[in-house]
Amino acid sequence: MITLPDLPYPTNGLEPHISARTLEFHHGKHHKTYVDTANKLLAGTSLAGKSHEEIIRTTAGDSSKTAIFNNAAQAWNHAFYWQCLKPRGGGRPTGEVARLIDDAFGGFDKFVEGLKNAGTTQFGSGWAWLVASGNRLEILKTPNAESPLHHNKTPLLTVDVWEHAYYLDYQNRRADYLAAVIDKLINWEFVNANLAKAREEEAVFTA
Ligand code: MN
C-alpha cells in the first residue's frame, strides 16, 4: 500500500513562488492519482506487501510492469519533492552538505548552475536531482518517472520539472521556476538529514 502524505506546509505556504492553485492540483490531483493508480495495479500481486522502494527497484526496467513502475516511482518522487521545499527556504546551505557541495562542484554557485542546467535541459517531463553516489555528490536529470533509487544512487534533493509543477505560475519559463525553487524554497535541513541517513544506512561518505 502506497500512501499520499499530507503536504508538510499549507497549500499557500510556498507563495508567491509556487501558488496554492499549483499545489492543490499538483498534490491533490497529480500526486493522488499516481498513488491511487499504483495501489489499484498492486492489489492482489506479490508486490503488494513490499516497501515502496522495493516496488520501484523490482519493477524498474521490467517491460511487463511499466505501469506499476511509473505510478509507484512518481508517487515516491512527489512525496520526496514536497519535503525538499519549505516556506522561506532556499539560498546557501549550511552543515555538511555545504562542505560537500563545495568539494564536489567547486562552490555553491557552480552547483546552482549545474542544477539549473540539469532542470532546463531535461527534454520533456522529468526531474533534476542532487544524489550521493558512493563517496561523491552528483547532479542528475531523469526523464518521466525515473529515479536515482534504482541506479544505486541516494536521492538528497529533487526538483520536479514536469510542466504541471510550474505551468500555472510560470507558463513556459522553466528556468524562472528553477531559480525561484533554488533561491527561495529548498529545505536544506531535509537535504542534510538525507545525507546523514545515507551515511548511516548505505555507507556513503564514510571515508
Ligand atoms: Mn509533479
Side-chain angles (χ1 to χ4, degrees), residues 26 30-31 34 74 78 81-82 126-127 160-162 164-165:
H26 198 178
H30 291 277
H31 188 176
Y34 295 129
Q74 279 295 81
H78 282 86
Y81 167 65
W82 306 131
W127 301 82
D160 188 343
V161 296
W162 283 58
H164 66 223

Side-chain angles (χ1 to χ4, degrees), residues 4 11 16 18 33 46-47 59-60 83 87 92 94 101 108 115 121 140 166 172 182 198 200 202:
L4 179 70
T11 52
I18 295 177
T33 300
S46 61
L47 290 166
T59 57
Q83 292 183 272
R92 287 177 184 271
T94 55
I101 281 175
F108 180 69
L115 190 64
T121 61
L140 298 180
Y166 60 87
N172 61 327
I182 294 167
E200 226 167 79
E202 299 173 43

Side-chain angles (χ1 to χ4, degrees), residues 86-105:
K86 69 167 196 177
R88 294 173 300 283
R92 287 177 184 271
T94 55
E96 192 65 28
V97 78
R99 185 178 69 76
L100 292 175
I101 281 175
D102 284 345
D103 289 352
F105 308 111

Side-chain angles (χ1 to χ4, degrees), residues 27-189:
H27 177 262
K29 305 284 185 196
H30 291 277
H31 188 176
K32 183 176 189 302
T33 300
Y34 295 129
V35 170
D36 292 348
T37 306
N39 284 327
K40 255 182 230 156
L41 293 167
L42 287 164
T45 74
S46 61
L47 290 166
K50 299 208 185 289
S51 76
H52 198 164
E53 288 81 0
E54 269 182 292
I55 291 166
I56 292 166
R57 291 192 175 108
T58 307
T59 57
D62 180 342
S63 59
S64 71
K65 300 205 164 55
T66 304
I68 295 178
F69 171 79
N70 282 340
N71 285 282
Q74 279 295 81
W76 193 98
N77 291 350
H78 282 86
F80 189 76
Y81 167 65
W82 306 131
Q83 292 183 272
C84 288
L85 309 178
K86 69 167 196 177
R88 294 173 300 283
R92 287 177 184 271
T94 55
E96 192 65 28
V97 78
R99 185 178 69 76
L100 292 175
I101 281 175
D102 284 345
D103 289 352
F105 308 111
F108 180 69
D109 294 341
K110 293 269 191 241
F111 159 76
V112 168
E113 201 179 300
L115 190 64
K116 281 182 181 167
N117 187 52
T120 52
T121 61
Q122 170 52 44
F123 185 76
S125 297
W127 301 82
W129 304 85
L130 175 68
V131 303
S133 176
N135 279 356
R136 290 170 47 80
L137 287 188
E138 290 174 8
I139 293 167
L140 298 180
K141 55 186 174 180
T142 61
N144 302 315
E146 290 285 316
S147 163
L149 279 180
H150 57 91
H151 296 288
N152 288 321
K153 295 175 194 283
T154 308
L156 302 177
L157 165 70
T158 196
V159 185
D160 188 343
V161 296
W162 283 58
E163 282 187 349
H164 66 223
Y166 60 87
Y167 214 84
L168 292 174
D169 300 324
Y170 297 87
Q171 293 75 49
N172 61 327
R173 292 175 286 114
R174 189 189 286 189
D176 291 354
Y177 155 74
L178 277 159
V181 167
I182 294 167
D183 292 344
K184 305 293 185 185
L185 297 176
I186 290 177
N187 182 349
W188 286 112
E189 290 82 3

